[in-house]
Amino acid sequence: MDTKNFSTSNAILIILIILGAGGLGGAVYYYGVKETPSTSIANQSVNQAGTPSGADSNLAGYRESPSAETEVVWPSNQQLGTGTALPPNSTMPPSSSPTLPVSQPSAAPGNQVLDTYLNAYQKVQQNKESYKEVSFRATIYTFLPLRDFLDGLDITINPAVYQYLDQSNYRAVFCYRDANTVDRGLILRLKPGSTMAYYEKLYYGSEGIEPSLKQWEPTMFSDLKNIFFPDNSLPSQYAARFQTTPGLAPVEYATLKDQQGKTLFVGYCVAADEALYLANSLECQGEILKANAPAGEP
């Protein structure tokens, strides 16, 4: 593609096509979830091929659940930007240690990032909220930087993907399923661009968002383990084989057996609103897509 010969109007048109049309290069997808409230896939099993059974081409069967955004105010005495890696086999902070049947991440005492995350997590479980998005900010900043959020939860994002992520615009997601299961996800907004060259690199380049996500796939399970699978033991060696759900809102996903034989799930989708959606269940992934669908979408 020769960008030198583009006129100003052509450049604007192409940017609009990239942002609005979606689906280019397999990285940006249209929204669209078929509404069938009478059907639930909350308890669907995963077949031997790793495909969630009963999921049709439009991710049908998800509950209707409006997005509920909560802003968490951060304590001013939290030391940020220091890299708070969590030690293995550490215990829950005393301030967030009510006995709950739901698996939870572990952390050293004093980790206020995790304390706040767990507080939001527990409220969803106690209130049986079907879907909630939680944003984070610090009293000493306008926002809690993404780097500190990731450090506090001891999760990692591949640097090739991380370079495209906005430091201030992200959310944790909780999807209540039953008394024993609260699924989790992340909404990570991409950095907005002001030039056509940026979007060409983002969606068409060999180091763009789609190739970068493919590069992340082999370690996605272990990188997100502390919030997606805190009580599960991953195999010492594994190969995550991602595949694509069919339909208007395709999701890249993989399943994996832990050391006890339980099936684990990781899914991701880059949508037309320039956001990366991640979840530890197909159902929660569908809830995220529905809650963030543009006005007028089904």
Side-chain angles (χ1 to χ4, degrees):
M1 180 180 295
D2 185 2
T3 61
K4 294 182 180 179
N5 296 324
F6 280 136
S7 66
T8 301
S9 60
N10 286 336
I12 295 173
L13 176 61
I14 289 178
I15 291 175
L16 291 174
I17 291 173
I18 292 173
L19 296 179
L24 298 178
V28 184
Y29 303 127
Y30 287 109
Y31 291 95
V33 179
K34 184 178 178 182
E35 298 288 351
T36 54
S38 61
T39 306
S40 173
I41 66 167
N43 297 316
Q44 285 182 346
S45 62
V46 177
N47 63 26
Q48 292 181 351
T51 304
S53 60
D56 71 9
S57 60
N58 288 318
L59 296 176
Y62 296 107
R63 298 184 302 272
E64 291 193 32
S65 50
S67 171
E69 181 180 351
T70 300
E71 187 175 70
V72 179
V73 179
W74 211 249
S76 60
N77 63 344
Q78 171 67 24
Q79 186 176 5
L80 301 174
T82 57
T84 54
L86 310 185
N89 302 319
S90 54
T91 59
M92 281 277 293
S95 61
S96 356
S97 57
T99 301
L100 295 174
V102 183
S103 61
Q104 303 181 44
S106 61
N111 185 336
Q112 295 180 18
V113 177
L114 187 57
D115 283 351
T116 304
Y117 178 89
L118 291 176
N119 181 57
Y121 175 96
Q122 291 163 3
K123 285 181 180 178
V124 169
Q125 188 212 11
Q126 293 163 357
N127 298 332
K128 300 181 179 180
E129 297 175 83
S130 59
Y131 179 85
K132 174 168 276 190
E133 295 179 7
V134 180
S135 59
F136 294 75
R137 73 177 176 90
T139 56
I140 57 177
Y141 296 130
T142 304
F143 57 89
L144 179 71
L146 176 63
R147 66 174 185 270
D148 295 302
F149 176 77
L150 299 176
D151 283 346
L153 297 181
D154 193 23
I155 57 177
T156 303
I157 295 176
N158 187 285
V161 176
Y162 183 84
Q163 67 175 319
Y164 291 113
L165 301 181
D166 193 307
Q167 281 289 313
S168 63
N169 199 345
Y170 64 89
R171 293 175 188 167
V173 176
F174 303 98
C175 302
Y176 179 90
R177 187 182 301 187
D178 56 45
N180 296 311
T181 309
V182 177
D183 295 329
R184 282 140 282 179
L186 293 170
I187 297 175
L188 306 173
R189 297 288 173 182
L190 305 183
K191 291 179 182 176
S194 59
T195 66
M196 189 176 131
Y198 171 79
Y199 288 105
E200 283 186 334
K201 177 185 178 183
L202 180 64
Y203 294 120
Y204 293 108
S206 60
E207 298 178 354
I209 188 64
E210 183 184 12
S212 297
L213 284 164
K214 292 295 181 185
Q215 182 178 327
W216 187 21
E217 286 180 354
T219 62
M220 198 174 287
F221 278 85
S222 56
D223 288 346
L224 300 175
K225 179 188 181 303
N226 201 44
I227 61 168
F228 278 8
F229 325 110
D231 289 345
N232 299 90
S233 299
L234 298 179
S236 56
Q237 295 183 341
Y238 66 88
R241 296 181 175 85
F242 280 75
Q243 52 190 307
T244 307
T245 62
L248 295 176
V251 172
E252 302 295 324
Y253 73 95
T255 58
L256 182 70
K257 296 286 187 181
D258 69 5
Q259 293 187 14
Q260 290 72 44
K262 182 179 179 179
T263 299
L264 309 178
F265 174 101
V266 166
Y268 70 83
C269 175
V270 177
D273 64 342
E274 298 181 68
L276 170 61
Y277 301 137
L278 298 128
N280 71 346
S281 76
L282 183 62
E283 180 183 50
C284 195
Q285 187 82 63
E287 298 276 12
I288 294 171
L289 288 168
K290 285 202 328 182
N292 291 274
E297 288 286 347

PDB file of all heavy atoms in Angstrom, residues 160-185:
ATOM      1  N   ALA A 160       4.502  -7.178  23.231  1.00  0.00           N
ATOM      2  CA  ALA A 160       4.048  -6.848  21.880  1.00  0.00           C
ATOM      3  C   ALA A 160       2.609  -6.351  21.884  1.00  0.00           C
ATOM      4  O   ALA A 160       2.233  -5.495  21.087  1.00  0.00           O
ATOM      5  CB  ALA A 160       4.188  -8.071  20.972  1.00  0.00           C
ATOM      6  N   VAL A 161       1.778  -6.892  22.806  1.00  0.00           N
ATOM      7  CA  VAL A 161       0.397  -6.441  22.956  1.00  0.00           C
ATOM      8  C   VAL A 161       0.341  -5.194  23.837  1.00  0.00           C
ATOM      9  O   VAL A 161      -0.388  -4.236  23.538  1.00  0.00           O
ATOM     10  CB  VAL A 161      -0.473  -7.563  23.559  1.00  0.00           C
ATOM     11  CG1 VAL A 161      -1.895  -7.070  23.824  1.00  0.00           C
ATOM     12  CG2 VAL A 161      -0.487  -8.780  22.651  1.00  0.00           C
ATOM     13  N   TYR A 162       1.116  -5.200  24.910  1.00  0.00           N
ATOM     14  CA  TYR A 162       1.090  -4.116  25.896  1.00  0.00           C
ATOM     15  C   TYR A 162       1.373  -2.760  25.258  1.00  0.00           C
ATOM     16  O   TYR A 162       0.814  -1.736  25.680  1.00  0.00           O
ATOM     17  CB  TYR A 162       2.103  -4.421  26.993  1.00  0.00           C
ATOM     18  CG  TYR A 162       2.126  -3.414  28.124  1.00  0.00           C
ATOM     19  CD1 TYR A 162       1.224  -3.499  29.183  1.00  0.00           C
ATOM     20  CD2 TYR A 162       3.066  -2.382  28.140  1.00  0.00           C
ATOM     21  CE1 TYR A 162       1.249  -2.585  30.225  1.00  0.00           C
ATOM     22  CE2 TYR A 162       3.102  -1.469  29.171  1.00  0.00           C
ATOM     23  CZ  TYR A 162       2.197  -1.569  30.205  1.00  0.00           C
ATOM     24  OH  TYR A 162       2.222  -0.659  31.222  1.00  0.00           O
ATOM     25  N   GLN A 163       2.216  -2.721  24.249  1.00  0.00           N
ATOM     26  CA  GLN A 163       2.582  -1.446  23.629  1.00  0.00           C
ATOM     27  C   GLN A 163       1.385  -0.726  23.031  1.00  0.00           C
ATOM     28  O   GLN A 163       1.414   0.499  22.844  1.00  0.00           O
ATOM     29  CB  GLN A 163       3.630  -1.678  22.529  1.00  0.00           C
ATOM     30  CG  GLN A 163       3.094  -2.455  21.324  1.00  0.00           C
ATOM     31  CD  GLN A 163       4.093  -2.579  20.201  1.00  0.00           C
ATOM     32  OE1 GLN A 163       4.809  -1.618  19.892  1.00  0.00           O
ATOM     33  NE2 GLN A 163       4.149  -3.755  19.585  1.00  0.00           N
ATOM     34  N   TYR A 164       0.315  -1.454  22.732  1.00  0.00           N
ATOM     35  CA  TYR A 164      -0.874  -0.850  22.130  1.00  0.00           C
ATOM     36  C   TYR A 164      -1.947  -0.486  23.151  1.00  0.00           C
ATOM     37  O   TYR A 164      -3.005   0.024  22.765  1.00  0.00           O
ATOM     38  CB  TYR A 164      -1.481  -1.807  21.099  1.00  0.00           C
ATOM     39  CG  TYR A 164      -0.631  -1.999  19.865  1.00  0.00           C
ATOM     40  CD1 TYR A 164      -0.044  -3.222  19.593  1.00  0.00           C
ATOM     41  CD2 TYR A 164      -0.401  -0.946  18.976  1.00  0.00           C
ATOM     42  CE1 TYR A 164       0.744  -3.401  18.461  1.00  0.00           C
ATOM     43  CE2 TYR A 164       0.382  -1.117  17.846  1.00  0.00           C
ATOM     44  CZ  TYR A 164       0.952  -2.348  17.598  1.00  0.00           C
ATOM     45  OH  TYR A 164       1.736  -2.520  16.475  1.00  0.00           O
ATOM     46  N   LEU A 165      -1.720  -0.711  24.439  1.00  0.00           N
ATOM     47  CA  LEU A 165      -2.767  -0.549  25.439  1.00  0.00           C
ATOM     48  C   LEU A 165      -2.716   0.829  26.109  1.00  0.00           C
ATOM     49  O   LEU A 165      -1.645   1.328  26.438  1.00  0.00           O
ATOM     50  CB  LEU A 165      -2.651  -1.641  26.499  1.00  0.00           C
ATOM     51  CG  LEU A 165      -2.760  -3.073  25.994  1.00  0.00           C
ATOM     52  CD1 LEU A 165      -2.641  -4.048  27.154  1.00  0.00           C
ATOM     53  CD2 LEU A 165      -4.050  -3.297  25.219  1.00  0.00           C
ATOM     54  N   ASP A 166      -3.888   1.397  26.324  1.00  0.00           N
ATOM     55  CA  ASP A 166      -4.031   2.677  27.007  1.00  0.00           C
ATOM     56  C   ASP A 166      -3.773   2.472  28.501  1.00  0.00           C
ATOM     57  O   ASP A 166      -4.323   1.551  29.104  1.00  0.00           O
ATOM     58  CB  ASP A 166      -5.447   3.212  26.777  1.00  0.00           C
ATOM     59  CG  ASP A 166      -5.602   4.667  27.184  1.00  0.00           C
ATOM     60  OD1 ASP A 166      -5.244   4.995  28.328  1.00  0.00           O
ATOM     61  OD2 ASP A 166      -6.104   5.466  26.372  1.00  0.00           O
ATOM     62  N   GLN A 167      -2.984   3.333  29.108  1.00  0.00           N
ATOM     63  CA  GLN A 167      -2.630   3.192  30.521  1.00  0.00           C
ATOM     64  C   GLN A 167      -3.776   3.588  31.461  1.00  0.00           C
ATOM     65  O   GLN A 167      -3.791   3.178  32.620  1.00  0.00           O
ATOM     66  CB  GLN A 167      -1.401   4.044  30.843  1.00  0.00           C
ATOM     67  CG  GLN A 167      -0.088   3.430  30.423  1.00  0.00           C
ATOM     68  CD  GLN A 167       0.285   2.228  31.281  1.00  0.00           C
ATOM     69  OE1 GLN A 167       0.221   2.267  32.504  1.00  0.00           O
ATOM     70  NE2 GLN A 167       0.682   1.147  30.631  1.00  0.00           N
ATOM     71  N   SER A 168      -4.735   4.353  30.979  1.00  0.00           N
ATOM     72  CA  SER A 168      -5.780   4.860  31.866  1.00  0.00           C
ATOM     73  C   SER A 168      -7.155   4.248  31.618  1.00  0.00           C
ATOM     74  O   SER A 168      -8.040   4.390  32.460  1.00  0.00           O
ATOM     75  CB  SER A 168      -5.892   6.387  31.717  1.00  0.00           C
ATOM     76  OG  SER A 168      -6.284   6.743  30.400  1.00  0.00           O
ATOM     77  N   ASN A 169      -7.351   3.573  30.501  1.00  0.00           N
ATOM     78  CA  ASN A 169      -8.687   3.130  30.115  1.00  0.00           C
ATOM     79  C   ASN A 169      -8.748   1.606  30.095  1.00  0.00           C
ATOM     80  O   ASN A 169      -8.490   0.975  29.075  1.00  0.00           O
ATOM     81  CB  ASN A 169      -9.056   3.708  28.750  1.00  0.00           C
ATOM     82  CG  ASN A 169     -10.550   3.680  28.487  1.00  0.00           C
ATOM     83  OD1 ASN A 169     -11.302   2.990  29.190  1.00  0.00           O
ATOM     84  ND2 ASN A 169     -10.991   4.406  27.480  1.00  0.00           N
ATOM     85  N   TYR A 170      -9.086   1.033  31.221  1.00  0.00           N
ATOM     86  CA  TYR A 170      -9.204  -0.421  31.338  1.00  0.00           C
ATOM     87  C   TYR A 170     -10.184  -0.724  32.449  1.00  0.00           C
ATOM     88  O   TYR A 170     -10.475   0.131  33.298  1.00  0.00           O
ATOM     89  CB  TYR A 170      -7.838  -1.052  31.659  1.00  0.00           C
ATOM     90  CG  TYR A 170      -7.286  -0.627  32.992  1.00  0.00           C
ATOM     91  CD1 TYR A 170      -7.586  -1.341  34.162  1.00  0.00           C
ATOM     92  CD2 TYR A 170      -6.497   0.518  33.111  1.00  0.00           C
ATOM     93  CE1 TYR A 170      -7.110  -0.924  35.395  1.00  0.00           C
ATOM     94  CE2 TYR A 170      -6.019   0.938  34.340  1.00  0.00           C
ATOM     95  CZ  TYR A 170      -6.326   0.208  35.477  1.00  0.00           C
ATOM     96  OH  TYR A 170      -5.869   0.622  36.695  1.00  0.00           O
ATOM     97  N   ARG A 171     -10.707  -1.949  32.483  1.00  0.00           N
ATOM     98  CA  ARG A 171     -11.653  -2.343  33.526  1.00  0.00           C
ATOM     99  C   ARG A 171     -11.506  -3.822  33.829  1.00  0.00           C
ATOM    100  O   ARG A 171     -11.159  -4.619  32.950  1.00  0.00           O
ATOM    101  CB  ARG A 171     -13.097  -2.073  33.095  1.00  0.00           C
ATOM    102  CG  ARG A 171     -13.439  -0.594  32.959  1.00  0.00           C
ATOM    103  CD  ARG A 171     -14.831  -0.405  32.422  1.00  0.00           C
ATOM    104  NE  ARG A 171     -15.072   0.999  32.125  1.00  0.00           N
ATOM    105  CZ  ARG A 171     -16.090   1.442  31.416  1.00  0.00           C
ATOM    106  NH1 ARG A 171     -16.974   0.596  30.934  1.00  0.00           N
ATOM    107  NH2 ARG A 171     -16.243   2.729  31.205  1.00  0.00           N
ATOM    108  N   ALA A 172     -11.786  -4.171  35.064  1.00  0.00           N
ATOM    109  CA  ALA A 172     -11.964  -5.579  35.446  1.00  0.00           C
ATOM    110  C   ALA A 172     -13.437  -5.928  35.269  1.00  0.00           C
ATOM    111  O   ALA A 172     -14.311  -5.082  35.448  1.00  0.00           O
ATOM    112  CB  ALA A 172     -11.534  -5.794  36.893  1.00  0.00           C
ATOM    113  N   VAL A 173     -13.699  -7.183  34.912  1.00  0.00           N
ATOM    114  CA  VAL A 173     -15.069  -7.640  34.684  1.00  0.00           C
ATOM    115  C   VAL A 173     -15.348  -8.846  35.567  1.00  0.00           C
ATOM    116  O   VAL A 173     -14.488  -9.728  35.726  1.00  0.00           O
ATOM    117  CB  VAL A 173     -15.292  -8.012  33.204  1.00  0.00           C
ATOM    118  CG1 VAL A 173     -16.688  -8.590  32.991  1.00  0.00           C
ATOM    119  CG2 VAL A 173     -15.077  -6.802  32.311  1.00  0.00           C
ATOM    120  N   PHE A 174     -16.552  -8.892  36.127  1.00  0.00           N
ATOM    121  CA  PHE A 174     -17.005 -10.028  36.927  1.00  0.00           C
ATOM    122  C   PHE A 174     -18.368 -10.482  36.410  1.00  0.00           C
ATOM    123  O   PHE A 174     -19.265  -9.661  36.239  1.00  0.00           O
ATOM    124  CB  PHE A 174     -17.093  -9.647  38.405  1.00  0.00           C
ATOM    125  CG  PHE A 174     -15.808  -9.132  38.970  1.00  0.00           C
ATOM    126  CD1 PHE A 174     -15.582  -7.769  39.082  1.00  0.00           C
ATOM    127  CD2 PHE A 174     -14.807 -10.005  39.370  1.00  0.00           C
ATOM    128  CE1 PHE A 174     -14.386  -7.280  39.595  1.00  0.00           C
ATOM    129  CE2 PHE A 174     -13.608  -9.535  39.880  1.00  0.00           C
ATOM    130  CZ  PHE A 174     -13.397  -8.174  39.993  1.00  0.00           C
ATOM    131  N   CYS A 175     -18.505 -11.784  36.177  1.00  0.00           N
ATOM    132  CA  CYS A 175     -19.748 -12.371  35.684  1.00  0.00           C
ATOM    133  C   CYS A 175     -20.215 -13.428  36.683  1.00  0.00           C
ATOM    134  O   CYS A 175     -19.620 -14.513  36.758  1.00  0.00           O
ATOM    135  CB  CYS A 175     -19.547 -13.013  34.307  1.00  0.00           C
ATOM    136  SG  CYS A 175     -18.926 -11.888  33.027  1.00  0.00           S
ATOM    137  N   TYR A 176     -21.251 -13.120  37.454  1.00  0.00           N
ATOM    138  CA  TYR A 176     -21.768 -14.070  38.440  1.00  0.00           C
ATOM    139  C   TYR A 176     -22.505 -15.192  37.728  1.00  0.00           C
ATOM    140  O   TYR A 176     -23.388 -14.958  36.901  1.00  0.00           O
ATOM    141  CB  TYR A 176     -22.714 -13.357  39.402  1.00  0.00           C
ATOM    142  CG  TYR A 176     -23.324 -14.269  40.448  1.00  0.00           C
ATOM    143  CD1 TYR A 176     -22.686 -14.464  41.670  1.00  0.00           C
ATOM    144  CD2 TYR A 176     -24.523 -14.938  40.221  1.00  0.00           C
ATOM    145  CE1 TYR A 176     -23.234 -15.290  42.645  1.00  0.00           C
ATOM    146  CE2 TYR A 176     -25.077 -15.768  41.178  1.00  0.00           C
ATOM    147  CZ  TYR A 176     -24.432 -15.944  42.387  1.00  0.00           C
ATOM    148  OH  TYR A 176     -24.984 -16.769  43.343  1.00  0.00           O
ATOM    149  N   ARG A 177     -22.120 -16.431  38.059  1.00  0.00           N
ATOM    150  CA  ARG A 177     -22.792 -17.591  37.480  1.00  0.00           C
ATOM    151  C   ARG A 177     -23.639 -18.317  38.525  1.00  0.00           C
ATOM    152  O   ARG A 177     -24.806 -18.591  38.317  1.00  0.00           O
ATOM    153  CB  ARG A 177     -21.779 -18.559  36.882  1.00  0.00           C
ATOM    154  CG  ARG A 177     -22.428 -19.701  36.117  1.00  0.00           C
ATOM    155  CD  ARG A 177     -21.414 -20.694  35.572  1.00  0.00           C
ATOM    156  NE  ARG A 177     -20.449 -20.091  34.677  1.00  0.00           N
ATOM    157  CZ  ARG A 177     -19.569 -20.794  33.981  1.00  0.00           C
ATOM    158  NH1 ARG A 177     -19.517 -22.117  34.106  1.00  0.00           N
ATOM    159  NH2 ARG A 177     -18.715 -20.198  33.182  1.00  0.00           N
ATOM    160  N   ASP A 178     -23.030 -18.654  39.647  1.00  0.00           N
ATOM    161  CA  ASP A 178     -23.754 -19.265  40.757  1.00  0.00           C
ATOM    162  C   ASP A 178     -22.948 -19.028  42.027  1.00  0.00           C
ATOM    163  O   ASP A 178     -21.931 -18.335  41.998  1.00  0.00           O
ATOM    164  CB  ASP A 178     -24.009 -20.763  40.517  1.00  0.00           C
ATOM    165  CG  ASP A 178     -22.742 -21.549  40.250  1.00  0.00           C
ATOM    166  OD1 ASP A 178     -21.741 -21.346  40.990  1.00  0.00           O
ATOM    167  OD2 ASP A 178     -22.715 -22.368  39.314  1.00  0.00           O
ATOM    168  N   ALA A 179     -23.409 -19.606  43.153  1.00  0.00           N
ATOM    169  CA  ALA A 179     -22.761 -19.343  44.434  1.00  0.00           C
ATOM    170  C   ALA A 179     -21.304 -19.772  44.466  1.00  0.00           C
ATOM    171  O   ALA A 179     -20.522 -19.298  45.297  1.00  0.00           O
ATOM    172  CB  ALA A 179     -23.531 -20.039  45.554  1.00  0.00           C
ATOM    173  N   ASN A 180     -20.916 -20.686  43.578  1.00  0.00           N
ATOM    174  CA  ASN A 180     -19.549 -21.201  43.561  1.00  0.00           C
ATOM    175  C   ASN A 180     -18.720 -20.674  42.401  1.00  0.00           C
ATOM    176  O   ASN A 180     -17.544 -21.010  42.295  1.00  0.00           O
ATOM    177  CB  ASN A 180     -19.565 -22.734  43.504  1.00  0.00           C
ATOM    178  CG  ASN A 180     -20.197 -23.338  44.741  1.00  0.00           C
ATOM    179  OD1 ASN A 180     -19.849 -22.976  45.861  1.00  0.00           O
ATOM    180  ND2 ASN A 180     -21.151 -24.229  44.540  1.00  0.00           N
ATOM    181  N   THR A 181     -19.295 -19.880  41.521  1.00  0.00           N
ATOM    182  CA  THR A 181     -18.582 -19.485  40.312  1.00  0.00           C
ATOM    183  C   THR A 181     -18.841 -18.023  39.973  1.00  0.00           C
ATOM    184  O   THR A 181     -19.978 -17.627  39.721  1.00  0.00           O
ATOM    185  CB  THR A 181     -19.004 -20.346  39.101  1.00  0.00           C
ATOM    186  OG1 THR A 181     -18.907 -21.727  39.444  1.00  0.00           O
ATOM    187  CG2 THR A 181     -18.112 -20.062  37.902  1.00  0.00           C
ATOM    188  N   VAL A 182     -17.780 -17.229  39.993  1.00  0.00           N
ATOM    189  CA  VAL A 182     -17.801 -15.880  39.456  1.00  0.00           C
ATOM    190  C   VAL A 182     -16.714 -15.822  38.385  1.00  0.00           C
ATOM    191  O   VAL A 182     -15.530 -15.893  38.694  1.00  0.00           O
ATOM    192  CB  VAL A 182     -17.535 -14.821  40.544  1.00  0.00           C
ATOM    193  CG1 VAL A 182     -17.483 -13.426  39.921  1.00  0.00           C
ATOM    194  CG2 VAL A 182     -18.611 -14.876  41.618  1.00  0.00           C
ATOM    195  N   ASP A 183     -17.139 -15.754  37.134  1.00  0.00           N
ATOM    196  CA  ASP A 183     -16.171 -15.693  36.043  1.00  0.00           C
ATOM    197  C   ASP A 183     -15.558 -14.299  35.983  1.00  0.00           C
ATOM    198  O   ASP A 183     -16.136 -13.322  36.459  1.00  0.00           O
ATOM    199  CB  ASP A 183     -16.842 -16.035  34.715  1.00  0.00           C
ATOM    200  CG  ASP A 183     -17.328 -17.471  34.671  1.00  0.00           C
ATOM    201  OD1 ASP A 183     -16.693 -18.326  35.322  1.00  0.00           O
ATOM    202  OD2 ASP A 183     -18.336 -17.746  33.991  1.00  0.00           O
ATOM    203  N   ARG A 184     -14.381 -14.212  35.375  1.00  0.00           N
ATOM    204  CA  ARG A 184     -13.640 -12.965  35.361  1.00  0.00           C
ATOM    205  C   ARG A 184     -13.157 -12.611  33.971  1.00  0.00           C
ATOM    206  O   ARG A 184     -12.916 -13.481  33.136  1.00  0.00           O
ATOM    207  CB  ARG A 184     -12.433 -13.063  36.299  1.00  0.00           C
ATOM    208  CG  ARG A 184     -12.758 -12.906  37.755  1.00  0.00           C
ATOM    209  CD  ARG A 184     -11.987 -13.862  38.636  1.00  0.00           C
ATOM    210  NE  ARG A 184     -12.555 -15.205  38.597  1.00  0.00           N
ATOM    211  CZ  ARG A 184     -12.063 -16.231  39.263  1.00  0.00           C
ATOM    212  NH1 ARG A 184     -10.991 -16.086  39.990  1.00  0.00           N
ATOM    213  NH2 ARG A 184     -12.648 -17.404  39.203  1.00  0.00           N
ATOM    214  N   GLY A 185     -13.000 -11.316  33.747  1.00  0.00           N
ATOM    215  CA  GLY A 185     -12.517 -10.843  32.460  1.00  0.00           C
ATOM    216  C   GLY A 185     -11.799  -9.514  32.601  1.00  0.00           C
ATOM    217  O   GLY A 185     -11.711  -8.933  33.687  1.00  0.00           O
TER     218      GLY A 185
END
